[in-house]
Amino acid sequence: MEVKTSLLDNMIGVGDMVLLEPLSEDSFLENLRKRFDHSEIYTYIGSVVISMNPYRSLPIFTPDKVEEYRNRNFYELSPHIYALADEAYRSLRDQDKDQCILITGESGAGKTEASKLVMSYVAAVCGKGQEVNKVKEQLLQSNPVLEAFGNAKTVRNDNSSRFGKYMDIEFDFKGDPLGGVISNYLLEKSRVVKQPRGERNFHVFYQLLSGASDDTLRKLKLDRDFSKYNYLSLDSAAVNGLDDAANFRTVRNAMQIVGFMEDEVQSVLELVAAVLKLGNIEFKPESRCNGTDESRIKDKNDLKEMCELLGIEQSVLERAFSYRTVEAKMEKVSTTLNVAQAYYARDALAKNLYSRLFSWLVTRINESIKAQAKTRHKVMGVLDIYGFEIFEDNSFEQFIINYCNEKLQQIFIELTLREEQEEYVREGIEWTNIEYFNNAVICDLIENNQNGILAMLDEECLRPGTVTDETFLDKLNTICAEHQHFESRLSKNSKFLTDHSLPHNCFRIQHYAGKVLYRAEGFVDKNNDLLYRDLSQAMYKANHSLIKQLFPEGNPAKVNLKRPPTAGFQFKASVGTLMRNLQTKNPNYIRCIKPNDKKASHIFTESLVRHQLRYLGLMENVRVRRAGYAFRQAYEPCLERYKMLCKRTWPHWRGPAREGVEVLMSDLQVPGEEFSYGRSKIFIRNPRTLFFLEERRRQCLQDLATLIQKIYRGWKCRSHFLLLKESQIVVAAWYRRYAQQKKYQKIKSATTVVQSYTRGWQARKLLRELKYQKRCEEAATTIAAYWHGTQARMELRRLKQEARNKHAVTVIWAYWQGTKARRELRRLKEEARRKHAVAVIWAYWQGLKVRREYRKFFRANAGKKIYDFTIQRIMQKYFLGLKSTLPSMSPIDKNWPSRPYLFLDGVHKELRRIFHLWRCKKYRSQFTEEKKAVYEEKLEASEIFKDKKALYPSSVSQPFKGDYLEISKNPKYQKLNSAVEEKVLLADVVNKINRANGKGTARIFLLTKKSVVLADQKTGQVKASVPLPDLTSVSVSTQSDGFFALRLKEGSASAVKGDFLLSSEHLIEIITKLHHIGSTTADREQLNVDISDEFLVQFKQDKVCVKFIQGVPKNGNSVSCKRKNNRLLEVSVPTTA
């Protein structure tokens, strides 16, 4: 049986500081130390969880632990962050209360890990399902992406959040997550361009260079060596326990799960690479003729690669780094930038580029994880924001971060300490007022709209004239000199005569966490956060899709001369929105404490923990809890929960709920000092009292369960007994009926048997008498029959003897005559046997044996029938065998089964001829009209060229396409197509041979039913048109060339310039179509085709002989034509193998 532990079981130290005795700062620290040494990192102050960073992995975050804390009372088990997460989740799910979990503490105290644990617990205990699991996975996987781009190694923390994150997780009515919304606050973008000693830039730069593939780095124009990039610090590039390569793969996978497209991931990596390239751009000074200084880029290689990554013209960005344009109403003034200003512009661009990329990432993640339904949802907010920071050199960023922590401390004071006291007053509970430090005065010093530090900083930034950090500090000294929490060299609170730790350019603020010294240098520039408009416009001109979204103010069409809001103003507004959001939700607090500054396990630095204990106000929180009450509950739910502990209130209390609670507490004999009655609630001072009530309730529930089981079992047994009794009566009645029926059937059956036996005996007796009488009658008849038979047989024997005596002489005489005849026959046979001797005797003997053997099987004419049967069987076997071995239906298949018998030779050949004719007919029947026309042309080509032209065999497998130029579809030949009126049967590019040099000129060859057209290939202009009646013949060679001559009718209009000598790759098709047109036209003579290796061609007035020879042309394997003299053109054709 599982043993359920509680907060008080096996407790190391005290699990809830409210129970600590005696209560002092030393005992508080000692209790934390004792629990920390035993790996108990969580401690309660009422409902507040104190979390100590162990700086090591502990086995207390397993799935078994999640199940252990699931749906359990907050104080039921030992302190754990899961208990707070479960309490918040169940309050949201069951009571419909929006929740927020505020995680506060110093940098390195473990806030980020605490937020991850809360989110992972909520994801583990909420519902399941494909859509729900997808939403949970996207919410969890958003953390690695934001950590890579927003976290960095600092001297205090290897994974310090350099931005604030607040995530609202939205749930449906069942408690299943629907989506979320992430808000980010003040990314520390100055880290992009400069990092303090011992710290790193943001993780993503190192992850990209360590984990990306060589191909990816080549595309991004990057190198793995960190030392090649000015923006990356080298002294802390490698961190123990941090695998940048593995983390890069994790980030890529997380981006895919969240919903980033592959092109979006590539765009993000390109921008990260561009920031690294931007840091390598260096400037050198140059003096102009007018005496002013300007800057020039030293090495433009990094600038070139960056511009290629972002799709920006190099000259545009180079000018933006060298000049600044100032616009005022209708005027524009362009000034040059010196080296210092150029470096400022470069760093400003890098910071803005990275910070805007980070904001885009947050927006893109919100698009993926936002809830789709538009109904109201339950919301749980998780705040993970930078902790209080006190460095050796504190600047504007630390000022803003500490201001945010002041506001969080203020909300903690308002919602925890002050609300606690106000509720007791509201309920009329007497108690001693606890004085605590209210940091509202510090918040007012910073954010007051009139005299606040942020307001004065904005006023200085907007003031015309020379504005420096010194003028800002002077203004602070003037206005804030009297404030008790402000110190400077000129304020009344500083002891500048003896305090040498306060330099002249610094001021000190006494925060709730302690005094912090701020260096005023850089406050004005960082608050302005200016990016020159030239750089914004240069970025907007980029062809990169993401850059245009990040720099919308660079659009020339939307130029805004209004000064953008300052960084301090924006952050103050964001913090105000956050505070208003938190005040609408039920708060749950996790106060993170850092045990040491060495980031080492098992080390507890008392002074550091004491400092955090003081500025977190934990002692005041414990005093309020101890002076007040640890538990409070309205009377109605309290009575409903514990009414079974008293007989007077169980099961129903008829009076007011408060009176019922009073009766209940009196009956339980709870000491009066342990509780108090408010106007609407009962307040229990000590958690032990609550545990006592819960334990009594648990025991009572067990007793009630036992009672219910007893009553149920009694009812069940009685019901079962009555059912058995009723069933027994029914069964007995049915059995008696059945027994009587069986007895009656048995008596009836016995009576029937006796009757049947009696009737049988009587019948058998009568049968025996009848049988005896019948046998007597049959015996007399038989004796008479036997007697008459004997008399008849005796008379027959007498008559037969007389007949035999009369026939004896006749028989003897016949035998004698036969004897004589046989003697004569033997004599004659002997004479015959001498003539036919052995052959006749043997033949007759063989025939006799055959006839004796087969007489029983055959009748007359058996030989003819056997012959006919044998022939019929052979023919049947022949045709069946021929059926199974028929060749394919292809007309070119020459296979045919072999002849089985010689006498079937004629039939075998005739059948082969008939089958071939039949399959040819079947094959032709499948042809379309177009296909028939193609085969008719192929057949006509075979009749013309087969065994006559060496080029013919290679053309057989090539289909006749006709229009090779697609002249009707190609817009290039639209004009030529409109010039030809008839349908084009063939369109191809041919070479017209020039008589002068034998070289060819490309011409378009068009063939219609009426004419042949030659046109220029480039312009489409018609060069010649020859009507088909003017063609008398065509001359070709026997070789494998494509030359042919069109012979024209003498005296015709087309023959003025003479015949045409052409060359084409589709010679066979051209001549076949010309021949086919002549043969299918009734009023036209058929075109003659002259095939010879030597023929005459008429060129104007002269006849030229064209001679074809075999040889090796100079230009390789192609045919070449060369002029030998005025009367001879020689064509060299390659020798075919």
Side-chain angles (χ1 to χ4, degrees), residues 888-892 912-928 932:
S888 65
M889 295 297 292
S890 174
I892 62 174
R912 180 176 183 178
R913 185 185 67 81
I914 294 172
F915 177 78
H916 181 67
L917 293 176
W918 174 76
R919 70 181 176 184
C920 289
K921 180 181 178 183
K922 297 290 285 184
Y923 186 81
R924 290 194 301 272
S925 65
Q926 300 175 1
F927 288 176
T928 60
K932 284 182 180 180

Side-chain angles (χ1 to χ4, degrees), residues 462-508:
L462 299 175
R463 181 174 62 83
T466 303
V467 177
T468 63
D469 297 316
E470 287 74 16
T471 60
F472 165 64
L473 186 58
D474 292 340
K475 192 162 190 173
L476 288 182
N477 291 329
T478 303
I479 298 177
C480 302
E482 302 291 336
H483 202 284
Q484 59 181 346
H485 292 278
F486 177 84
E487 297 178 9
S488 70
R489 297 284 290 188
L490 299 179
S491 69
K492 294 184 178 181
N493 296 318
S494 66
K495 303 175 178 56
F496 59 88
L497 296 177
T498 58
D499 187 2
H500 300 287
S501 64
L502 188 60
H504 286 279
N505 62 339
C506 298
F507 64 93
R508 183 185 290 143

